[in-house]
Amino acid sequence: MASTLRDLREQILRAACAAGEGHIASAFSILDILWVLYHGILRHNPANPADPARDRFVLSKGHASLGIYGILATRGFFPMEELKTFASSSGRLGGHPDSRKVPGVEASTGSLGHGMPMAAGMALGLKIRKSSSRVVCIVGDGECNEGAVWEAALLAAHHKLGHFTCVVDFNHSGDRALMLGDLAAKFRSFDWDVVEIDGHDHAQIEAALKPHDGDVPRAVIASTIKGKGCKEMENNPAWHHKAPKVDELEAMLAQLA
Amino acid sequence: MRKQFVTTMERLLDEDPRLVVLLGDIGVFAFRHAFQKHPKRVINIGILEQATVSVAAGLAKEGFIPLFHSIAPFVVERAFEQIKVDFGYQALGGHFVSVGGSYDYAALGCSHHCPGDVELMQAVPGMQILAPGHPAEFDSLMSQTFASGKPTYHRLSERSNSEARPVTFGKAEIEQLGSGPVIVTVGPFLDRVIEASSGSDATILYYTTLAPFDDETLREHAGDGRILCVEPFYEGTLAASITNALRGKRIALSSMGVPRRFLTDYGHASYHDAACGLLAADIRARLDELRHV
Ligand SMILES: Cc1ncc(C[n+]2csc(CCOP(=O)(O)OP(=O)(O)O)c2C)c(N)n1
């Protein structure tokens, strides 16, 4: 069981190392946000993952799957032990989260730009059903290049999806390709309510993600560090899609904050 | 093959000022020297595949030879309509170079599996489709088609045959001539087909150009019409090309490729080879089956 974020990082590193696979830095970037979301914000029910009264969470940047697996295991959706099967041919925890297999995973993501519109669709469905559940998704800043993200932003505002929150994991990994400029202003111009936070400050995360009233969707622009908590990985593009070798593991574990 | 891709493009960037390379935020490190040398013509365009294909079409209209590179599903499936209308219908020249076809990225799941790329590209009239089986074959086919003025799809594979063949665009190579069934195979599957048919009297035709399909070579060497197609993408992808080449002839066609279901397991490509029944022993069994037809 991982009782602290440091423990969780360790489990993730070990799982990736065993598999020789994984987007660890992408997971570490959002681990604080996931931790806060699943400790008091999102209503979830590990005993009945499909409980209609649950809140929905969609990891649109699905390559950070190790992050959501770790958190779901921490909450009891499946045993932490299962992380050891990550990416194996016999396991259900793949390089991207699969809603056909993994309890607590709401959408099969991996192709960037699908998760957020799917989350908007869930929010629309919940609204039609007059449900009190809310929907939260996390997109990457690179993912915000995709047109589908902005198409969904347009329609979420139009359909007054106030119970829909989109967190942008703004670790600037995408700057090498396209500068997003003032992301908060862009969402505001799409008629969203925007909050800017430090994505590693738990009090700020909690304040931004608490349920709120009204019919305006909320964007949370979270300033983050890709690879947060493991020095060598922090803001190091070489670690985007890479797993530590067995003989590198101890050194990486020693770096964990 | 990915390394060769970079080397070939570095050479073509030097040779032809019309080439513009657009990377879909992948392969960026591998292209680092090219970025430095040709900062205006090597661009990490970002993660926006649909716009990228249309932008590439715009570049083509302005006289450039655009090349777009990303993982197979994001090149072919995500931006398919842009490829069809902007390149196909407008008959513009440009190159689409994918990695991760079929289950090369096995551990990444459905979003990164792409056994349907060639079949989709076949649905774009005029699209040239290439599946080299060796880095040197990629270099050769890219060079031969580079300035063809046609839209061209290059399917790179993580795995290669041990030796390159002297490939000619639009032509199949006759790997082996025999009196038995004819095996039509493609790119990286040649080695396993040779292994499977060792000691047999099969004819082996090796295709690296899938469209336009070389009808002539197949017609000339179709033997008594017993044909086994061993393809590294969805089974049956080449069936229409084969039956069209042999129209009017009585044939028994057996297709082996990636089965038409979602692959829900992870692991490595070699695991999926076995799970999909695409090992040399499986090929041998199909060949023997055909013998009794
Ligand atoms: C449609 C699509 N295009 C390309 C990719 C390949 N890819 C996976 S992760 C990634 C970078 C994502 O950047 P970002 O969203 O900022 O996530 P982070 O850097 O935080 O991992 C890319 C290009 C993909 N998964 N989906």
Side-chain angles (χ1 to χ4, degrees):
Chain A
M1 227 10 224
S3 50
T4 65
L5 268 163
R6 197 217 149 275
D7 287 352
L8 194 51
R9 289 195 185 97
E10 173 168 348
Q11 303 285 354
I12 288 171
L13 270 178
R14 287 189 185 281
C17 178
E21 169 61 48
H23 292 83
I24 306 165
S26 306
F28 284 5
S29 188
I30 57 169
L31 220 47
D32 289 295
I33 297 165
L34 291 173
W35 184 273
V36 174
L37 267 174
Y38 278 87
H39 287 86
I41 304 255
L42 289 180
R43 290 172 295 182
H44 58 282
N45 182 0
N48 179 14
D51 186 345
R54 75 194 186 282
D55 292 326
R56 275 63 161 170
F57 171 74
V58 174
L59 183 62
S60 197
K61 47 168 276 186
H63 56 286
S65 62
L66 280 165
I68 189 67
Y69 297 155
I71 293 287
L72 291 173
T74 304
R75 302 311 289 163
F77 281 88
F78 45 82
M80 190 59 84
E81 274 291 295
E82 196 168 335
L83 256 70
K84 291 185 179 150
T85 66
F86 176 64
S88 69
S89 55
S90 55
R92 54 182 180 171
L93 306 181
H96 295 94
D98 189 335
S99 61
R100 293 171 38 152
K101 298 189 206 173
V102 187
V105 168
E106 300 280 357
S108 296
T109 51
S111 181
L112 296 168
H114 289 217
M116 183 198 173
M118 272 195 275
M122 293 175 187
L124 185 59
L126 291 168
K127 182 171 175 169
I128 293 169
R129 281 221 317 268
K130 297 192 168 60
S131 161
S132 67
S133 297
R134 58 191 292 237
V135 184
V136 177
C137 74
I138 298 183
V139 298
D141 59 284
E143 184 177 13
C144 287
N145 295 177
E146 292 286 1
V149 167
W150 299 99
E151 294 168 24
L154 203 56
L155 68 85
H158 174 85
H159 289 284
K160 302 191 187 324
L161 305 179
H163 56 310
F164 180 38
T165 299
C166 177
V167 181
V168 182
D169 169 30
F170 203 175
N171 59 30
H172 292 271
S173 68
D175 286 3
R176 65 179 189 169
L178 272 183
M179 298 297 285
L180 292 176
D182 188 343
L183 203 49
K186 287 190 168 70
F187 270 99
R188 266 188 211 108
S189 75
F190 276 65
D191 297 325
W192 282 53
D193 169 39
V194 179
V195 188
E196 292 178 85
I197 61 164
D198 172 346
H200 303 299
D201 178 321
H202 288 207
Q204 289 188 34
I205 299 169
E206 190 175 342
L209 289 174
K210 269 198 320 231
H212 58 277
D213 293 331
D215 56 10
V216 179
R218 169 171 290 183
V220 176
I221 314 295
S223 172
T224 52
I225 296 170
K226 188 161 171 173
K228 170 76 180 175
C230 182
K231 272 282 159 277
E232 188 182 331
M233 273 185 204
E234 290 189 358
N235 292 327
N236 180 353
W239 277 99
H240 171 68
H241 183 195
K242 181 174 159 179
K245 305 231 165 19
V246 178
D247 57 355
E248 292 172 331
L249 182 64
E250 287 310 316
M252 309 242 41
L253 291 176
Q255 288 180 32
L256 288 184
Chain B
M1 235 180 257
R2 275 193 282 171
K3 230 168 148 183
Q4 181 64 54
F5 167 48
V6 176
T7 309
T8 302
M9 297 335 293
E10 284 176 345
R11 172 172 60 74
L12 289 169
L13 279 160
D14 287 342
E15 286 173 11
D16 196 320
R18 292 173 300 172
L19 172 59
V20 178
V21 174
L22 308 171
L23 302 178
D25 200 33
I26 75 151
V28 175
F29 183 70
F31 272 90
R32 63 194 176 282
H33 302 303
F35 275 112
Q36 264 176 5
K37 201 161 177 197
H38 304 284
K40 289 217 164 70
R41 292 190 293 125
V42 183
I43 304 172
N44 181 1
I45 195 83
I47 312 167
L48 23 62
E49 296 81 7
Q50 292 161 295
T52 300
V53 172
S54 298
V55 164
L59 286 165
K61 280 181 181 283
E62 290 299 327
F64 291 95
I65 300 178
L67 178 148
F68 174 38
H69 172 56
S70 187
I71 305 172
F74 314 133
V75 175
V76 180
E77 295 173 329
R78 183 62 157 267
F80 182 68
E81 202 202 352
Q82 279 78 3
I83 292 174
K84 181 189 91 174
V85 179
D86 301 355
F87 276 89
Y89 184 68
Q90 299 192 97
L92 295 174
H95 296 271
F96 306 94
V97 180
S98 76
V99 288
S102 293
Y103 43 72
D104 272 354
Y105 294 158
L108 300 181
C110 171
S111 63
H112 286 60
H113 297 170
C114 198
D117 56 342
V118 170
E119 186 159 87
L120 272 170
M121 284 304 211
Q122 283 175 329
V124 179
M127 179 66 63
Q128 303 181 143
I129 306 175
L130 306 169
H134 188 279
E137 294 173 6
F138 166 77
D139 184 69
S140 171
L141 291 169
M142 173 56 92
S143 303
Q144 292 176 55
T145 56
F146 178 64
S148 66
K150 300 243 172 73
T152 307
Y153 178 57
H154 306 256
R155 183 187 221 253
L156 302 189
S157 300
E158 292 292 305
R159 294 176 292 176
S160 297
N161 301 313
S162 51
E163 276 173 51
R165 304 300 190 277
V167 293
T168 304
F169 170 71
K171 292 302 285 177
E173 301 293 318
I174 302 164
E175 178 66 26
Q176 180 177 308
L177 272 182
S179 54
V182 179
I183 307 180
V184 169
T185 195
V186 174
F189 270 15
L190 178 60
D191 271 1
R192 70 183 72 183
V193 163
I194 292 173
E195 186 191 337
S197 57
S198 96
S200 84
D201 56 356
T203 289
I204 302 176
L205 303 181
Y206 176 53
Y207 280 76
T208 50
T209 303
L210 309 176
F213 192 78
D214 177 5
D215 296 346
E216 203 181 302
T217 302
L218 180 58
R219 254 198 306 267
E220 266 170 35
H221 301 285
D224 62 9
R226 286 176 299 168
I227 297 178
L228 173 61
C229 180
V230 187
E231 43 201 341
F233 23 71
Y234 271 144
E235 62 192 2
T237 298
L238 293 179
S241 299
I242 292 170
T243 52
N244 180 58
L246 299 178
R247 65 188 173 278
K249 191 173 163 72
R250 199 183 292 271
I251 61 171
L253 172 62
S254 180
S255 287
M256 289 182 84
V258 181
R260 289 174 184 265
R261 54 177 159 81
F262 285 113
L263 306 178
T264 52
D265 291 344
Y266 305 110
H268 297 283
S270 52
Y271 164 84
H272 290 273
D273 282 343
C276 292
L278 290 171
L279 299 176
D282 304 307
I283 298 169
R284 181 70 193 210
R286 277 282 194 107
L287 189 61
D288 290 342
E289 196 180 275
L290 211 49
R291 247 168 242 295
H292 304 297
V293 172

